[in-house]
Amino acid sequence: MKAVGVGINILPHASRELCALGLEDALAKVAVTTRDIVSITASASTSQRAGRALAGYDVPQFSIHRGDLQMVLLDAFIERAGADKVITGWRCTRVDYDGGEAIAHFEDAYGKSLPSQRGTAVVSAEGIHSVLRKQVYPDEGPPKYSGINMWRGVTRWKPFLSGASMIRIGWHIRKLLIYPIRTISTRKAQLVNWSAISKRRYKARDWNRGAA
Ligand SMILES: Cc1cc2nc3c(=O)[nH]c(=O)nc-3n(C[C@H](O)[C@H](O)[C@H](O)COP(=O)(O)OP(=O)(O)OC[C@H]3O[C@@H](n4cnc5c(N)ncnc54)[C@H](O)[C@@H]3O)c2cc1C
């Protein structure tokens, strides 16, 4: 299992669910607990408090590396369910029903069949390209592309503003987001996530294409 990605902002309505699962301390250890959000537009600049300090929320906002979030979730799952319940490299291809039972079919990365698994229910969480969703909704078509693209990256940089600030420059279809996601051990540097967002049509999504 390998950590992939860059920054994710876990806003309070999402961190509420993770805190309810008892993960607040584990997240606070690896993430930056966002303290304030600075918004800059052509006509104004405002600053507001984030997360727990924002009226109506009793949980924090976390800015985190996607891989660090995945590892917190993986550790919690292993602790609660056991390491033997984490099985990688099994691609689900189809689900059939047999009387009151569901049968999930799998193959490995080379397309070789793996033993089918039977159970009372199958819960699929395969992401945006879900094979099982296609099976259940065959006429749905691919996800709708809004035309909004992001150019993203991370940079090691010294802390800016409060050291836990999120900066948003612009709005909606043309904006720049900058926020720290990890404090590097010396505390003199942080891993800072940046995303430039604009509306510009591309033919296909591709995480690995160079920015142009
Ligand atoms: C770099 C990056 C930054 C992002 N930043 C943000 C952000 O700041 N805020 C935000 O809200 N969202 C963000 N997102 C989006 C967010 O990561 C996704 O919305 C979220 O991961 C979707 O979760 P999921 O569990 O539905 O699917 P996924 O995280 O895609 O997980 C699906 C899992 O299913 C597995 N799988 C796929 N097909 C099969 C199959 N047939 N059989 C078995 N397993 C299968 C995959 O290997 C994967 O492990 C970001 C995404 C990326 C890549």
Side-chain angles (χ1 to χ4, degrees):
M1 198 117 20
K2 215 165 58 178
V4 182
V6 284
I8 286 200
N9 230 284
I10 309 178
L11 294 165
H13 55 284
S15 63
R16 185 172 50 195
E17 306 305 325
L18 296 170
C19 293
L21 289 169
L23 299 179
E24 182 171 343
D25 290 347
L27 289 169
K29 252 185 228 153
V30 292
V32 170
T33 303
T34 312
R35 230 176 286 157
D36 49 296
I37 303 169
V38 176
S39 301
I40 302 167
T41 63
S43 56
S45 157
T46 58
S47 174
Q48 71 183 79
R49 292 182 178 182
R52 203 191 293 280
L54 193 66
Y57 288 111
D58 58 0
V59 290
Q61 173 176 338
F62 293 115
S63 297
I64 191 168
H65 190 288
R66 189 173 182 263
D68 290 341
L69 170 62
Q70 287 174 324
M71 291 306 140
V72 167
L73 296 175
L74 180 63
D75 288 348
F77 184 85
I78 289 174
E79 192 189 308
R80 294 166 199 200
D84 60 321
K85 299 289 188 305
V86 181
I87 301 166
T88 57
W90 283 51
R91 207 179 84 83
C92 189
T93 52
R94 197 178 84 247
V95 171
D96 291 328
Y97 304 95
D98 178 18
E101 279 199 311
I103 310 161
H105 303 280
F106 295 90
E107 62 182 28
D108 69 12
Y110 304 100
K112 193 173 150 261
S113 289
L114 294 164
S116 298
Q117 304 292 316
R118 300 176 84 96
T120 48
V122 172
V123 178
S124 150
E126 315 147 84
I128 199 164
H129 301 295
S130 168
V131 168
L132 297 191
R133 186 171 177 97
K134 281 192 198 104
Q135 182 185 335
V136 179
Y137 299 101
D139 302 321
E140 190 178 51
K144 286 190 185 133
Y145 175 39
S146 65
I148 293 178
N149 301 284
M150 284 191 195
W151 289 261
R152 340 191 31 150
V154 286
T155 306
R156 279 168 193 238
W157 200 251
K158 50 188 187 267
F160 58 87
L161 297 177
S162 71
S165 301
M166 178 176 179
I167 302 179
R168 184 170 53 209
I169 303 167
W171 190 248
H172 190 45
I173 57 164
R174 199 169 300 133
K175 72 179 171 197
L176 183 63
L177 284 174
I178 307 167
Y179 50 86
I181 54 172
R182 189 190 284 161
T183 296
I184 298 164
S185 53
T186 57
R187 291 192 173 267
K188 289 204 176 106
Q190 289 178 313
L191 200 60
V192 176
N193 180 84
W194 52 264
S195 348
I197 298 154
S198 88
K199 196 160 186 167
R200 181 166 156 194
R201 285 211 160 255
Y202 278 117
K203 281 194 190 115
R205 287 175 296 270
D206 184 351
W207 280 103
N208 300 311
R209 180 175 33 213

Coordinates of all heavy atoms in Angstrom, one line a residue, residues 1 4-11 14 64 66 69-70 89-94 105-107 125-132 150 152 177 179 193 195 207, ligand 1:
M1 N 0.8 -1.2 0.0 CA 0.0 0.0 0.0 C 0.9 1.2 0.0 O 1.8 1.3 0.8 CB -0.9 0.0 1.3 CG -2.0 0.9 1.1 SD -3.7 0.3 1.1 CE -3.9 -1.3 1.8
V4 N -0.5 8.2 -2.0 CA -0.4 8.9 -3.3 C -1.2 10.2 -3.1 O -2.2 10.3 -2.4 CB -1.1 8.1 -4.4 CG1 -1.0 8.9 -5.8 CG2 -0.5 6.8 -4.6
G5 N -0.8 11.3 -3.8 CA -1.6 12.5 -3.9 C -0.9 13.7 -3.3 O 0.3 13.6 -2.9
V6 N -1.7 14.7 -3.1 CA -1.2 15.9 -2.5 C -2.1 16.4 -1.4 O -2.5 15.5 -0.6 CB -0.9 17.1 -3.6 CG1 0.4 16.8 -4.3 CG2 -2.0 17.2 -4.5
G7 N -2.6 17.6 -1.4 CA -3.3 18.1 -0.2 C -4.8 17.9 -0.3 O -5.4 17.9 -1.4
I8 N -5.4 17.6 0.8 CA -6.9 17.5 0.9 C -7.3 18.4 2.1 O -6.6 18.5 3.1 CB -7.3 16.1 1.2 CG1 -7.2 15.3 0.0 CG2 -8.7 16.0 1.7 CD1 -8.0 14.0 -0.1
N9 N -8.3 19.2 1.9 CA -8.9 19.9 3.0 C -10.1 19.2 3.6 O -11.1 19.1 2.9 CB -9.3 21.3 2.5 CG -8.7 22.3 3.4 OD1 -9.2 22.6 4.5 ND2 -7.6 22.9 2.9
I10 N -10.0 18.8 4.8 CA -11.1 18.1 5.5 C -11.9 19.2 6.2 O -11.5 19.6 7.3 CB -10.7 17.0 6.4 CG1 -9.7 16.1 5.7 CG2 -11.9 16.2 6.9 CD1 -9.2 14.9 6.6
L11 N -13.0 19.7 5.6 CA -13.8 20.7 6.2 C -14.6 20.1 7.3 O -14.8 18.9 7.4 CB -14.6 21.4 5.1 CG -13.8 22.1 4.0 CD1 -14.6 22.4 2.8 CD2 -13.2 23.4 4.5
A14 N -17.0 17.2 7.1 CA -16.4 15.9 6.9 C -15.6 15.5 8.1 O -15.7 14.3 8.4 CB -15.5 16.0 5.6
I64 N -4.5 18.3 5.1 CA -3.7 17.0 5.3 C -3.2 16.5 3.9 O -3.8 16.8 2.9 CB -4.6 16.0 6.0 CG1 -3.8 14.8 6.5 CG2 -5.8 15.6 5.2 CD1 -4.6 13.9 7.4
R66 N -3.0 13.8 1.3 CA -4.0 12.7 1.0 C -3.4 11.3 1.5 O -4.1 10.5 2.1 CB -4.2 12.6 -0.5 CG -5.3 11.7 -0.9 CD -5.6 11.9 -2.4 NE -6.7 11.1 -2.9 CZ -6.5 9.9 -3.5 NH1 -5.3 9.4 -3.7 NH2 -7.6 9.3 -3.9
L69 N -3.8 11.0 5.3 CA -5.2 10.6 5.6 C -5.4 9.1 5.4 O -6.0 8.4 6.2 CB -6.2 11.5 4.8 CG -7.6 11.1 4.8 CD1 -8.2 11.2 6.3 CD2 -8.5 11.9 3.9
Q70 N -5.0 8.6 4.2 CA -5.2 7.2 3.9 C -4.5 6.3 5.0 O -5.0 5.3 5.4 CB -4.6 6.9 2.5 CG -5.5 7.4 1.4 CD -4.9 7.3 0.1 OE1 -3.7 7.4 -0.1 NE2 -5.7 7.0 -0.9
G89 N -5.0 -5.9 -4.3 CA -4.8 -6.6 -5.6 C -5.9 -7.4 -6.0 O -5.8 -8.2 -7.0
W90 N -7.1 -7.3 -5.4 CA -8.3 -8.0 -5.8 C -9.2 -7.0 -6.5 O -9.8 -6.2 -5.8 CB -9.0 -8.7 -4.6 CG -8.3 -9.9 -4.1 CD1 -7.0 -10.1 -3.8 CD2 -9.0 -11.2 -3.9 NE1 -6.8 -11.3 -3.3 CE2 -8.0 -12.0 -3.4 CE3 -10.3 -11.7 -4.0 CZ2 -8.3 -13.4 -3.0 CZ3 -10.5 -13.0 -3.7 CH2 -9.5 -13.8 -3.2
R91 N -9.4 -7.2 -7.8 CA -10.3 -6.3 -8.6 C -11.6 -6.9 -8.7 O -11.7 -8.0 -9.3 CB -9.6 -6.0 -9.9 CG -10.0 -4.6 -10.5 CD -9.4 -4.4 -11.8 NE -10.1 -5.1 -12.9 CZ -11.2 -4.5 -13.5 NH1 -11.5 -3.3 -13.2 NH2 -11.8 -5.1 -14.5
C92 N -12.6 -6.3 -8.2 CA -14.0 -6.8 -8.3 C -14.5 -6.6 -9.7 O -14.3 -5.5 -10.3 CB -14.9 -6.2 -7.3 SG -16.5 -7.0 -7.2
T93 N -15.0 -7.6 -10.4 CA -15.4 -7.5 -11.8 C -17.0 -7.5 -11.9 O -17.5 -6.9 -12.8 CB -14.9 -8.6 -12.6 OG1 -15.2 -9.8 -12.0 CG2 -13.4 -8.5 -12.8
R94 N -17.7 -8.1 -11.0 CA -19.1 -8.3 -11.1 C -19.7 -8.9 -9.8 O -19.0 -9.5 -9.0 CB -19.3 -9.4 -12.2 CG -20.7 -9.4 -12.8 CD -20.7 -10.5 -14.0 NE -21.0 -11.8 -13.5 CZ -20.1 -12.8 -13.6 NH1 -18.9 -12.6 -14.1 NH2 -20.3 -14.0 -13.1
H105 N -17.2 -11.4 -7.7 CA -16.2 -12.1 -8.5 C -15.0 -11.1 -8.6 O -15.2 -9.9 -8.8 CB -16.7 -12.4 -9.9 CG -18.0 -13.2 -9.9 ND1 -17.9 -14.6 -9.7 CD2 -19.3 -12.9 -10.0 CE1 -19.1 -15.1 -9.7 NE2 -20.0 -14.1 -9.8
F106 N -13.8 -11.7 -8.6 CA -12.6 -10.9 -8.6 C -11.6 -11.4 -9.6 O -11.6 -12.6 -10.0 CB -11.9 -11.0 -7.2 CG -12.7 -10.4 -6.1 CD1 -13.7 -11.1 -5.4 CD2 -12.6 -9.0 -5.8 CE1 -14.5 -10.6 -4.4 CE2 -13.4 -8.5 -4.8 CZ -14.3 -9.2 -4.1
E107 N -10.6 -10.5 -10.0 CA -9.5 -10.9 -10.8 C -8.2 -10.2 -10.3 O -8.4 -9.1 -9.6 CB -9.7 -10.7 -12.3 CG -9.9 -9.3 -12.7 CD -10.2 -9.0 -14.2 OE1 -10.7 -9.9 -14.8 OE2 -9.8 -8.0 -14.6
A125 N -17.1 0.5 -2.7 CA -16.6 1.8 -2.4 C -15.4 2.0 -3.4 O -14.3 2.4 -3.0 CB -16.1 2.0 -1.0
E126 N -15.6 1.8 -4.7 CA -14.5 1.8 -5.7 C -14.2 3.1 -6.3 O -13.5 3.1 -7.3 CB -14.8 0.8 -6.8 CG -15.4 -0.5 -6.5 CD -16.3 -0.9 -7.6 OE1 -15.9 -1.4 -8.7 OE2 -17.5 -0.6 -7.5
G127 N -14.8 4.2 -5.9 CA -14.4 5.5 -6.4 C -15.2 5.8 -7.7 O -16.2 5.1 -8.1
I128 N -14.7 6.8 -8.4 CA -15.5 7.4 -9.5 C -15.7 6.5 -10.7 O -16.6 6.7 -11.5 CB -14.9 8.8 -9.8 CG1 -15.9 9.6 -10.6 CG2 -13.6 8.6 -10.6 CD1 -15.5 11.1 -10.7
H129 N -14.7 5.5 -10.9 CA -14.8 4.6 -12.0 C -15.4 3.3 -11.6 O -15.1 2.3 -12.2 CB -13.5 4.5 -12.7 CG -12.9 5.8 -13.1 ND1 -13.5 6.5 -14.1 CD2 -11.8 6.5 -12.7 CE1 -12.8 7.6 -14.3 NE2 -11.8 7.6 -13.5
S130 N -16.3 3.3 -10.6 CA -16.8 2.0 -10.1 C -17.4 1.1 -11.1 O -18.3 1.4 -11.9 CB -17.9 2.4 -9.1 OG -18.6 1.2 -8.7
V131 N -16.9 -0.1 -11.1 CA -17.4 -1.2 -12.0 C -18.8 -1.6 -11.6 O -19.6 -1.9 -12.4 CB -16.4 -2.4 -11.9 CG1 -16.9 -3.6 -12.6 CG2 -15.0 -2.0 -12.5
L132 N -19.0 -1.7 -10.3 CA -20.3 -2.2 -9.8 C -21.4 -1.2 -10.0 O -22.5 -1.6 -10.3 CB -20.2 -2.6 -8.3 CG -19.2 -3.8 -8.0 CD1 -19.4 -4.3 -6.6 CD2 -19.4 -4.9 -9.0
M150 N -7.6 21.4 -12.4 CA -6.7 21.9 -11.3 C -5.3 21.5 -11.7 O -5.0 20.4 -12.1 CB -7.0 21.1 -10.0 CG -8.2 21.5 -9.3 SD -8.1 20.7 -7.7 CE -9.8 20.9 -7.1
R152 N -1.9 21.1 -9.6 CA -1.6 21.0 -8.2 C -0.2 20.6 -7.9 O 0.5 20.0 -8.7 CB -2.5 20.0 -7.5 CG -3.7 19.6 -8.1 CD -4.6 18.8 -7.2 NE -4.4 19.2 -5.8 CZ -5.4 19.1 -4.9 NH1 -6.6 18.7 -5.2 NH2 -5.2 19.5 -3.7
L177 N -5.5 28.2 -4.5 CA -5.6 27.8 -3.1 C -4.2 27.4 -2.5 O -3.5 26.7 -3.2 CB -6.5 26.6 -2.9 CG -8.0 26.8 -3.1 CD1 -8.7 25.4 -3.0 CD2 -8.6 27.6 -1.9
Y179 N -2.3 26.2 1.1 CA -2.3 25.9 2.6 C -1.3 24.9 3.0 O -1.0 24.0 2.2 CB -3.8 25.4 3.0 CG -4.3 24.3 2.1 CD1 -4.1 23.0 2.4 CD2 -5.2 24.6 1.0 CE1 -4.6 21.9 1.6 CE2 -5.7 23.6 0.3 CZ -5.4 22.2 0.6 OH -5.9 21.2 -0.2
N193 N 0.6 23.0 0.2 CA -0.1 22.5 -1.0 C -0.6 23.8 -1.8 O -1.0 24.8 -1.2 CB -1.4 21.8 -0.5 CG -2.2 21.3 -1.7 OD1 -1.9 20.2 -2.2 ND2 -3.2 22.0 -2.0
S195 N -3.0 24.8 -5.4 CA -3.8 24.3 -6.5 C -4.3 25.6 -7.3 O -4.8 26.5 -6.7 CB -5.1 23.6 -6.1 OG -5.1 23.1 -4.8
W207 N -4.0 12.4 -14.4 CA -3.3 12.9 -13.2 C -1.8 13.1 -13.6 O -1.1 13.8 -12.8 CB -3.4 12.0 -12.1 CG -4.7 12.1 -11.4 CD1 -5.8 11.3 -11.4 CD2 -5.1 13.2 -10.5 NE1 -6.8 11.9 -10.7 CE2 -6.4 13.0 -10.1 CE3 -4.4 14.3 -10.0 CZ2 -7.0 13.9 -9.2 CZ3 -5.1 15.2 -9.2 CH2 -6.4 15.0 -8.8
Ligands
LIG1 C1 -4.6 14.6 -5.4 C2 -6.0 14.7 -5.0 C3 -6.5 15.7 -4.1 C4 -7.8 15.8 -3.7 N1 -8.2 16.8 -2.9 C5 -9.4 16.8 -2.4 C6 -9.8 17.8 -1.4 O1 -9.0 18.7 -1.0 N2 -11.0 17.7 -0.9 C7 -11.9 16.7 -1.2 O2 -13.0 16.7 -0.7 N3 -11.6 15.8 -2.2 C8 -10.3 15.8 -2.7 N4 -10.0 14.9 -3.7 C9 -10.9 13.9 -4.1 C10 -11.0 12.8 -3.1 O3 -9.7 12.2 -2.9 C11 -12.0 11.8 -3.7 O4 -13.2 12.4 -3.8 C12 -12.1 10.6 -2.7 O5 -10.8 9.9 -2.6 C13 -13.1 9.6 -3.2 O6 -13.2 8.6 -2.3 P1 -13.7 7.2 -2.6 O7 -13.5 6.4 -1.4 O8 -15.1 7.3 -3.2 O9 -12.8 6.6 -3.8 P2 -11.2 6.4 -3.9 O10 -10.5 7.2 -2.9 O11 -10.9 6.6 -5.3 O12 -11.1 4.9 -3.5 C14 -11.5 3.8 -4.3 C15 -10.8 2.6 -4.0 O13 -11.3 1.5 -4.6 C16 -10.3 0.7 -5.3 N5 -10.9 0.1 -6.5 C17 -11.3 0.7 -7.7 N6 -11.9 -0.2 -8.5 C18 -11.9 -1.3 -7.8 C19 -12.5 -2.6 -8.2 N7 -13.1 -2.9 -9.3 N8 -12.4 -3.6 -7.2 C20 -11.8 -3.4 -6.0 N9 -11.3 -2.2 -5.7 C21 -11.4 -1.2 -6.6 C22 -9.2 1.7 -5.6 O14 -8.0 1.0 -5.8 C23 -9.3 2.6 -4.4 O15 -8.5 2.1 -3.3 C24 -8.7 14.8 -4.2 C25 -8.2 13.8 -5.0 C26 -6.9 13.7 -5.4 C27 -6.5 12.6 -6.3

